[in-house]
Amino acid sequence: MKHTISVLLQNKPGVLSRVTGLFSGRGYNIESLAVNRTLDPEVSCLTLVSDGDDGIIEQITKQLHKLIDVIKVTDMAETDFVEREMALIRVKAEAGTRAEVLRIIDIFRGKVVDVSPRTYAIEVTGDEDKIQAIIDILKPIGIQEIVRTGTIAMARAKKN
Amino acid sequence: MKVTGAQALMKCLKEQNVEVIFGFPGGAVIDIYDEIMRTEDLTHVLVRHEQAAVHAADAYARVKGDVGVALVTSGPGATNTVTGIASAYLDSIPIVVFTGQVPTALIGNDAFQEVDIVGITRPCTKHNYLVKDPKDLIPTIREAFHIARTGRPGPVLIDLPKDVVAAMVEYNEPQPVKMRTYRPTYEPHPGQIEKACKAILKAKKPVFYIGGGVILSNANEELTELSRKLSIPVTMTLMGLGGFPGTDPLSMGMLGMHGTYYANMAVAHSDLLIAVGARFDDRVTGRIDAFAPGAKIIHIDIDPTSISKNVTVDIPIVADCKHAVAAMNSWFNRSKDFDRGAVAEMHAPWLEMIKEWKDKHPLGYAEEKDVIKPQFVVQKLHELTQGNALITTEVGQNQMWAAQFYHFNKPRSFMTSGGLGVMGYGFPAAIGAQMAAPDRTVIDIAGDGSIQMNIQELATARQYHCPVKIAILNNNYLGMVRQWQELFYDKRYSNTTLDTAPDFVLLAQAYGAVGLRATKPSEVEPVIKEALATDNVVIMDFVISREEGVYPMVPAGKATTEMLLV
């Protein structure tokens, strides 16, 4: 089962390779990865998506926690959370399809971020399923290039 | 107070009570060596290969119960330490390794003797550092020692660019190290202790399975108390030998691939396995689903990643072994449900069953009149040292025979490369052990193959007057691999015959050491006696029965009850 794991770590050189080295060295899988600073410039937040049974995910979280530079590890599956990724997609938009492409972008609440006589580059955000859905729809029209970020995730605030 | 980086390093070593370091100089660390020359009360042991420096520091740490230190130069000096670091990592031995590095301005330039040692050692250190800013030097060293010796101990590496150790830094008196992200759990959860103790009270066939964690945390006395209080038999991993008295009636010796018949049978038939500071290594468990199949498992370990890694644990206790076992002792001392006599009576049939297994297949070997048996040599070493020597080993058959037949009664007396299995560990380790305990008898039980992997350290041992004794169990083979080839590869001895070998007696003499040889069983005792009476490095070359095997043996991937016996 897929798990989204959020890791707070010291913002120091080499920390990312400690994390990725742990995954490659122990044969764990990284499906996606996103890292950036938090409000505290000395702390980074890393979100990764991995796949494995409960035993493997438990080992992953424990092993991550064992790294000296890691402050906190949260397996998002243990809480209610929102997750997003973003994709930039350059799709063919020629005379016959330009209007249809715009309609699709609108349905997915995407934005056109670059225009050329024969293409649109669009920005779309959402969970992995939504990004996959727009890709599937646009594919027959002609996707020229695609760039996707890793997933980022945040636990939902307690309701009471 | 302003001092140079190198001076700061010396001051920090003193703060950490470091009296001995093992090292080898080079261009990137000349500034440090210049300072070493001026530093009183620090002994630097000049090894002849950097790998040996790390193994020596490793054994020094084990004997002293403190952090061992090695110092090497950049590039090849640093890469030569990797085997030693990886060995210390797998055995959880606290060491700090200082490597020189090219000046910061040259890092990343493929400069002369530049290597990314922090990158290389990332997966085999507990933590490592590249100090780029001189002001980070002192806090980094203090943090490194703190990390190495606390929690689950391990090796820490600090890479020191040449300009950083030459720079001026501000020296402040040491403060307790505070880290935001690193706080090992020492105290056990009382609820888990209670659960474990209640499970122990119910068990009819309990077994203690103890590992290196008992020795690292100095929990041996608490564990011995607990085992005797509850009449629970104890088996030890290779790393756990000495954690419980090997000659105690409750001791079943080592378990696993070359464990005793009765230890493996007891684990297989137990209803409660109490693992203390052990990690369910494949050499211990054999086929994992057949390991202790009917047992509930209690696992005490300071490292949460060890728990439920290989087998699912019923009662996990994350804590320092000493604290956890002490807490169990006091639980039983307080408990109204615990009656020592009643528990002993309840466990009597179980101990009787184990005794029957032991009588059926005791640890032994077929004696021969004219040929020296390696097990006999180890038994004689035990007898003639009254079991009080510090023993190091190389890796292979020599290591297993040492583990089986030198019955360790005290912790910190057996130094072996358990996890990584490094041939070439034993001799430099013997030097490290002797530097830590100058008055003790130190013996490296070696094979003729592995002793040659760090034989150059004869010069080191001579130079620092370490009168270590090397007992070579010489069969002209890489014996353990040969044994596997015999059993599982139709005796195809591919590249395990050491056709050309040095004359070890002459070799010893070439270094100014003493060489002795025994070719008949009757010569074993006189040779050992002479060696023990000699105040010099001695190589004892025991020409042993060539194709002797280590038994019992659990073939790789088999259940531990499927043992090949003598």
Side-chain angles (χ1 to χ4, degrees), chain A residues 17-18 59 62 66 68 71, chain B residues 122 128 181 303-305 307:
Chain A
S17 79
R18 288 184 202 280
Q59 266 297 311
K62 283 176 171 179
K66 188 173 163 180
I68 304 285
I71 300 165
Chain B
R122 211 169 270 140
N128 61 15
T181 62
D303 178 2
T305 69
I307 293 174

Side-chain angles (χ1 to χ4, degrees), chain B residues 87-150:
Chain B
S87 181
Y89 184 61
L90 280 175
D91 291 345
S92 308
I93 305 303
I95 56 171
V96 173
V97 177
F98 294 96
T99 52
Q101 183 55 280
V102 301
T104 44
L106 287 180
I107 289 177
N109 257 354
D110 299 327
F112 177 65
Q113 293 195 329
E114 182 192 354
V115 77
D116 173 16
I117 196 64
V118 168
I120 289 171
T121 58
R122 211 169 270 140
C124 61
T125 48
K126 184 171 174 184
H127 198 52
N128 61 15
Y129 302 87
L130 165 63
V131 182
K132 277 182 144 171
D133 186 337
K135 78 171 167 32
D136 295 333
L137 177 65
I138 293 169
T140 300
I141 296 169
R142 289 170 180 163
E143 199 173 283
F145 276 86
H146 175 69
I147 290 173
R149 67 159 64 93
T150 54

Side-chain angles (χ1 to χ4, degrees), chain A:
Chain A
M1 190 189 140
K2 270 190 196 175
H3 283 247
T4 305
I5 298 168
S6 172
V7 187
L8 288 181
L9 30 79
Q10 306 259 55
N11 185 8
K12 284 185 189 166
V15 175
L16 181 59
S17 79
R18 288 184 202 280
V19 173
T20 54
L22 169 66
F23 276 72
S24 61
R26 292 188 181 268
Y28 307 141
N29 184 24
I30 300 182
E31 301 225 332
S32 89
L33 182 73
V35 204
N36 213 329
R37 273 171 311 184
T38 61
L39 264 185
D40 178 349
E42 287 181 11
V43 177
S44 297
C45 179
L46 179 152
T47 311
L48 63 85
V49 178
S50 185
D51 202 359
D53 61 34
D54 288 352
I56 289 178
I57 298 297
E58 184 185 332
Q59 266 297 311
I60 289 175
T61 52
K62 283 176 171 179
Q63 293 283 357
L64 282 168
H65 206 261
K66 188 173 163 180
L67 294 175
I68 304 285
D69 287 327
V70 166
I71 300 165
K72 192 177 173 202
V73 182
T74 314
D75 179 359
M76 288 294 179
E78 287 166 7
T79 115
D80 197 12
F81 68 105
V82 280
E83 64 180 348
R84 291 289 179 272
E85 54 181 87
M86 184 174 85
L88 296 172
I89 305 169
R90 193 185 310 281
V91 62
K92 267 197 217 162
E94 289 166 336
T97 55
R98 269 181 112 79
E100 190 192 344
V101 168
L102 278 182
R103 267 199 305 279
I104 293 169
I105 294 168
D106 199 36
I107 291 166
F108 283 89
R109 289 184 217 140
K111 267 195 288 191
V112 176
V113 291
D114 187 39
V115 184
S116 80
R118 306 186 135 194
T119 62
Y120 286 139
I122 65 169
E123 171 202 306
V124 61
T125 60
D127 62 16
E128 200 196 339
D129 290 346
K130 179 179 162 188
I131 304 287
Q132 197 55 50
I134 191 170
I135 290 169
D136 291 342
I137 298 268
L138 290 175
K139 222 184 221 166
I141 300 169
I143 293 176
Q144 291 187 336
E145 194 182 350
I146 189 162
V147 184
R148 294 168 73 168
T149 65
T151 300
I152 54 171
M154 184 182 266
R156 288 187 191 275
K158 292 212 167 59
K159 295 287 187 282
N160 43 21

